[in-house]
Amino acid sequence: MSTAGMVILGAGECGACAAFALRSNGYDGPVTLIGNESHLPYERPPLSKTTLVDGAGHKPVAPIEAYREAKIDVRLGVMVDSISLGDSHLSLSDGNRISFEKLLLATGARPRRLPGSEFAHGRVKYLRTFDDAVDIRSSIGPVRRLAIIGAGFIGLELAATARSLGCDVTVIEAQSRVLQRGVPEAIAAVISARHLQEGVVLRCGVGISSLIETETGVEINLADGTEFTVDTVVVGIGAMPNTALAEAAGIDLDNGIAVDETLSTSAPNVFAAGDCCSFPLPVYGGRRVRLEAWRNARDQGALAARNMLGANEVINSIPYFWSDQYDLTLQVAGLADGAATTVRRDVDGDAFLLFHLNADGVLVAASGIGRGLTVARDIKLAERLIASKVVPNPVALASPDVRLKTLLAG
């Protein structure tokens, strides 16, 4: 049994950020970071893009030398069998036990499985890990036929990357349009048009009747009677939080591991952060959400570390998402569902922003799309407006001649 200290379960972006934040906030006791993958913690956004394009290795959050210098004990390729809250320890698959003073659960999420998609030939795939990306990379290229099930961020990013590599790509989405969850229709329409321009076949509003895998391909039968065959299928229909260990330990769940505004779970000295947890957002009246986003993982990792050391800080971040597809970047800040009014602002070229106001005129979300970083600065300013619960003048919001910074000052 090792000396009790700070233990982080989950060696992803969130867990790694938490480990380094413990050190930067002055903690000098033992810090142990445990992960079930064999790789050092790495960035996940490149997996659907550059990792597939150039076959490059994973992009680590930090090199191994940084962990050694910070005296962070990184244990990779290790499974945790159970969490014992009574005597504060973890039982590992290799027979060892680790005691903890404070525990952070940063166990992330796993792909939602498509019923009936477990096949022997490995032609139906999922993208979550670096090893998944390497596997998919070997299956795409010129003259290859790829079907992607699910038109969310991951599915569409993968579609764009596969087209750049010469793949024939068909995207199948049961909802009536792409990016149904969290992205306004006007922005989704721009993304759809660009995929069609690039030669992607979009099949929205139709379900799958069956997938039949053979040694040479996958036969797809759609609910509308369409039948076609591809070489590979990648399923991207969302993710599910990894909560099994927490549930077995008796920790409360609510669409993930339930935490309060400080990321504390129902168990003393146990925190949770990142994709695996649901939390209340004060700026939205305590509405409970679960976010699968790069920046949320980083922010919550750092916040959890400070609160493990007694800071007792409350979550104050605004949900933020982005996606790069071809030369377009879309960005979303805040939660737009339930907005009563949407105001459009045209900016450089064909880029535009949408500002979403509730029934009281409060700005609750903003979204935008353009080439490169065209809308980035305005989205960042919009985050500040949302956090301040500003009631902006809709005419001023619509005018590109009015700087958003002046609305914040007002």
Side-chain angles (χ1 to χ4, degrees):
M1 180 84 75
S2 61
T3 302
M6 302 298 186
V7 175
I8 302 166
L9 178 50
E13 186 89 40
C14 182
C17 288
F20 285 110
L22 286 169
R23 293 302 190 215
S24 65
N25 283 277
Y27 180 71
D28 60 2
V31 175
T32 304
L33 179 62
I34 303 172
N36 59 8
E37 291 188 61
S38 60
H39 309 289
L40 282 174
Y42 56 85
E43 309 278 4
R44 292 194 188 276
L47 297 184
S48 57
K49 299 181 278 287
T50 55
T51 301
L52 294 177
V53 171
D54 55 27
H58 70 288
K59 180 183 178 182
V61 175
I64 187 61
E65 292 78 13
Y67 294 94
R68 290 170 179 162
E69 183 178 345
K71 296 182 179 178
I72 297 170
D73 180 11
V74 183
R75 304 192 185 190
L76 302 175
V78 177
M79 300 291 293
V80 174
D81 289 337
S82 64
I83 302 169
S84 177
L85 299 177
D87 53 4
S88 301
H89 79 264
L90 306 179
S91 296
L92 307 183
S93 57
D94 60 9
N96 290 317
R97 301 205 308 171
I98 296 181
S99 295
F100 60 84
E101 177 186 346
K102 302 284 179 64
L103 173 65
L104 172 61
L105 301 176
T107 49
R110 64 190 185 279
R112 187 181 299 277
R113 313 300 287 191
L114 184 70
S117 65
E118 304 299 329
F119 299 108
H121 299 291
R123 293 183 173 274
V124 180
K125 305 177 186 295
Y126 295 82
L127 177 57
R128 179 70 186 180
T129 68
F130 174 69
D131 291 341
D132 292 338
V134 171
D135 182 33
I136 292 170
R137 178 67 181 88
S138 67
S139 302
I140 59 178
V143 197
R144 299 288 185 89
R145 299 163 299 173
L146 173 68
I148 299 169
I149 301 175
F153 287 143
I154 295 297
L156 293 177
E157 288 173 2
L158 176 58
T161 302
R163 281 300 297 143
S164 75
L165 295 171
C167 242
D168 290 334
V169 180
T170 300
V171 177
I172 304 164
E173 171 57 58
Q175 300 291 331
S176 60
R177 66 169 173 88
V178 306
L179 299 171
Q180 182 76 43
R181 186 167 69 97
V183 175
E185 186 172 359
I187 290 179
V190 174
I191 292 291
S192 290
R194 187 53 185 277
H195 279 282
L196 292 172
Q197 178 186 349
E198 295 291 339
V200 175
V201 176
L202 297 178
R203 298 298 307 270
C204 295
V206 61
I208 295 175
S209 295
S210 66
L211 298 178
I212 302 172
E213 187 191 41
T214 69
E215 291 185 3
T216 59
V218 182
E219 298 174 8
I220 301 176
N221 299 296
L222 301 183
D224 63 2
T226 303
E227 299 179 1
F228 59 99
T229 300
V230 297
D231 300 300
T232 305
V233 171
V234 178
V235 180
I237 54 174
M240 301 178 65
N242 291 323
T243 60
L245 287 168
E247 183 175 17
I251 296 172
D252 290 349
L253 306 182
D254 185 353
N255 184 31
I257 301 170
V259 298
D260 64 15
E261 294 179 348
T262 68
L263 299 177
S264 297
T265 72
S266 61
N269 299 321
V270 179
F271 297 77
D275 294 7
C276 69
C277 79
S278 68
F279 55 93
L281 273 174
V283 72
Y284 293 99
R287 173 182 170 182
R288 183 169 287 276
V289 299
R290 187 176 68 81
L291 301 179
E292 299 159 14
W294 176 85
R295 195 171 77 180
N296 180 67
R298 293 186 64 86
D299 289 348
Q300 289 197 347
L303 176 62
R306 295 193 297 271
N307 287 343
M308 291 168 78
L309 299 176
N312 203 37
E313 294 181 28
V314 171
I315 299 167
N316 64 4
S317 58
I318 302 298
Y320 169 80
F321 308 88
W322 95 93
S323 179
D324 297 322
Q325 298 173 39
Y326 308 108
D327 61 345
L328 295 176
T329 297
L330 71 87
Q331 299 188 43
V332 178
L335 302 174
D337 53 325
T341 306
T342 296
V343 177
R344 175 170 171 148
R345 171 185 287 221
D346 292 314
V347 290
D348 294 341
D350 53 3
F352 63 91
L353 295 153
L354 300 175
F355 298 98
H356 310 281
L357 313 175
N358 68 14
D360 297 321
V362 177
L363 182 67
V364 294
S367 48
I369 190 166
R371 289 177 173 80
L373 299 177
T374 308
V375 301
R377 189 175 77 167
D378 284 339
I379 290 293
K380 187 174 290 292
L381 287 169
E383 287 184 66
R384 295 171 62 187
L385 291 169
I386 295 166
S388 300
K389 298 185 178 181
V390 168
V391 181
N393 182 329
V395 175
L397 278 181
S399 174
D401 296 326
V402 177
R403 297 175 61 194
L404 291 181
K405 200 167 185 177
T406 63
L407 303 180
L408 184 66

